[in-house]
Amino acid sequence: MERNNESSGNFILLGFSDQPKLGMVLFFTNMVFYFLAIMGNSSIIFLSLVDPRLHTPMYFFLCNLSLLDLCYTSSSIPQMLVNLWGPQKTITYIGCVIQLFAFLSVGGIECILLSVMAYDRFVAVCKPLHYMTIMHPQLCLRLAACAWLTGIANSILMSPLTMSLERCGHHHINHFVCEMPAIIRISCVGTRRVEGLAFFLAIPIVLVPLTIILVSYGYIVATVLRIQSAAGKRKAFNTCSSHMIVVSLFYSTIIYMYMQPGNVASQDQGKFLTLFYCLVTPTLNPFIYTLRNKDVKGAMWKVLGKDHSLSDARGH
């Protein structure tokens, strides 16, 4: 009976309420970052769809990453902005379930997708002559579908288990988002079964993809070192550098956050780290991939009616 009452009630997201001076600063800062994240990732998806030069495996996977970043930010930041602006810090039970489902699924999908992108870069650098033969459209669709289905399946399994934990009337979540560790923390029963299952599922969803990324870049580094020309090395490095930066930002944040002990200090750190990887990283990703990418910049100028490739050709 108590569980039914819980499932129909609201939760209180404490967020950064213990630091009221930060409230308005965080509100306007997050609003700016959220706007940039939406515009940047939407632009990547739009350009990849309308420009034939971007109809390649690399940009297909980049579109998927941008879509994930949009899901990350849109599932948490609007609610956070509402809570920062007004005195009410509540979120409905359904809203909390949606946030939990989104975070679990998108996090799992991104881990696997980043490993797929690392494999794509491995083929591009180590087997360039066979790239289009290996990375054919059917394989790209299967790899992307595998990432999405695995992440969603993980969330379908873990979300109900997490929300079914008895909370004994505890509705105050010490976070700005309904994330699994924060919800587990307010449970009044043993959580070893849920935490044990989460750890077990982290092996294929987090550890295996990370291993694939490290092995892929091990082969890439070995291949680049064998390239004789400086121009060839620079081209290979430019091909992979953007993805390496994104992987480093994502995994370093996740690993640091989940290896911290569960004390109050680490909980506060966890809020800022969660904010980093659900807002700052999605904002930076489009810039990381476009600043040194001539194809994306060329597509952008073409959409704006200024095709620089033509002027460059005339200049030469």
Side-chain angles (χ1 to χ4, degrees):
M1 190 71 178
E2 183 179 355
R3 190 175 297 179
N4 291 335
N5 290 336
E6 285 184 354
S7 66
S8 61
N10 296 336
F11 289 96
I12 308 297
L13 292 174
L14 298 177
F16 301 95
S17 55
D18 58 336
Q19 304 176 59
K21 293 182 180 179
L22 276 178
M24 284 298 100
V25 175
L26 284 173
F27 176 84
F28 288 106
T29 302
N30 292 347
M31 188 167 61
V32 171
F33 270 92
Y34 181 56
F35 174 78
L36 292 174
I38 295 296
M39 292 299 297
N41 287 289
S42 298
S43 298
I44 291 286
I45 295 173
F46 174 73
L47 292 173
S48 298
L49 291 175
V50 300
D51 196 309
R53 291 175 293 184
L54 304 185
H55 293 174
T56 64
M58 174 181 171
Y59 296 106
F60 170 72
F61 295 129
L62 182 56
C63 268
N64 279 265
L65 181 63
S66 293
L67 181 57
L68 287 175
D69 285 341
L70 288 174
C71 293
Y72 244 145
T73 54
S74 297
S75 64
S76 59
I77 300 305
Q79 179 69 52
M80 181 187 181
L81 292 175
V82 170
N83 290 352
L84 282 172
W85 181 259
Q88 298 295 325
K89 311 296 180 185
T90 59
I91 183 173
T92 64
Y93 180 87
I94 297 300
C96 191
V97 170
I98 291 173
Q99 282 193 346
L100 176 64
F101 185 88
F103 261 63
L104 285 174
S105 57
V106 172
I109 295 167
E110 186 158 348
C111 287
I112 298 172
L113 184 65
L114 288 175
S115 69
V116 170
M117 294 175 75
Y119 175 72
D120 173 68
R121 295 300 84 205
F122 157 74
V123 177
V125 174
C126 300
K127 300 183 179 182
L129 299 179
H130 303 284
Y131 178 71
M132 294 309 299
T133 304
I134 297 174
M135 300 302 295
H136 54 84
Q138 291 81 5
L139 178 63
C140 294
L141 284 172
R142 289 172 193 158
L143 291 173
C146 177
W148 282 87
L149 291 174
T150 303
I152 292 172
N154 171 62
S155 189
I156 289 174
L157 177 61
M158 293 304 302
S159 296
L161 287 176
T162 304
M163 295 305 295
S164 67
L165 292 171
E166 293 184 23
R167 294 177 287 274
C168 302
H170 299 151
H171 296 287
H172 289 74
I173 300 175
N174 189 16
H175 216 300
F176 66 86
V177 66
C178 289
E179 197 178 33
M180 189 173 72
I183 296 175
I184 288 177
R185 204 172 286 127
I186 65 173
S187 174
C188 61
V189 296
T191 59
R192 286 186 180 181
R193 183 170 62 94
V194 175
E195 291 177 303
L197 181 59
F199 180 81
F200 175 77
L201 292 174
I203 296 174
I205 294 176
V206 179
L207 186 59
V208 172
L210 180 58
T211 302
I212 293 173
I213 291 170
L214 294 175
V215 171
S216 296
Y217 276 102
Y219 278 106
I220 289 172
V221 169
T223 301
V224 170
L225 291 176
R226 288 197 296 268
I227 297 175
Q228 299 297 323
S229 67
K233 288 184 178 180
R234 193 180 307 111
K235 182 179 179 181
F237 177 76
N238 289 338
T239 300
C240 304
S241 59
S242 299
H243 184 252
M244 287 190 291
I245 295 170
V246 170
V247 168
S248 300
L249 285 173
F250 181 79
Y251 271 100
S252 61
T253 306
I254 295 295
I255 291 172
Y256 179 82
M257 190 173 79
Y258 284 99
M259 289 186 69
Q260 294 298 303
N263 54 36
V264 175
S266 67
Q267 288 180 33
D268 290 338
Q269 289 176 359
K271 295 175 191 177
F272 285 102
L273 287 171
T274 302
L275 186 60
F276 184 85
Y277 77 74
C278 78
L279 181 61
V280 178
T281 302
T283 304
L284 293 177
N285 284 352
F287 294 99
I288 292 171
Y289 276 105
T290 57
L291 285 178
R292 302 179 63 180
N293 192 308
K294 294 180 180 178
D295 292 334
V296 176
K297 287 191 286 188
M300 190 177 300
W301 286 117
K302 184 178 179 181
V303 168
L304 295 174
K306 301 177 181 179
D307 195 342
H308 280 206
S309 61
L310 295 176
S311 60
D312 291 343
R314 288 169 187 158
H316 289 295

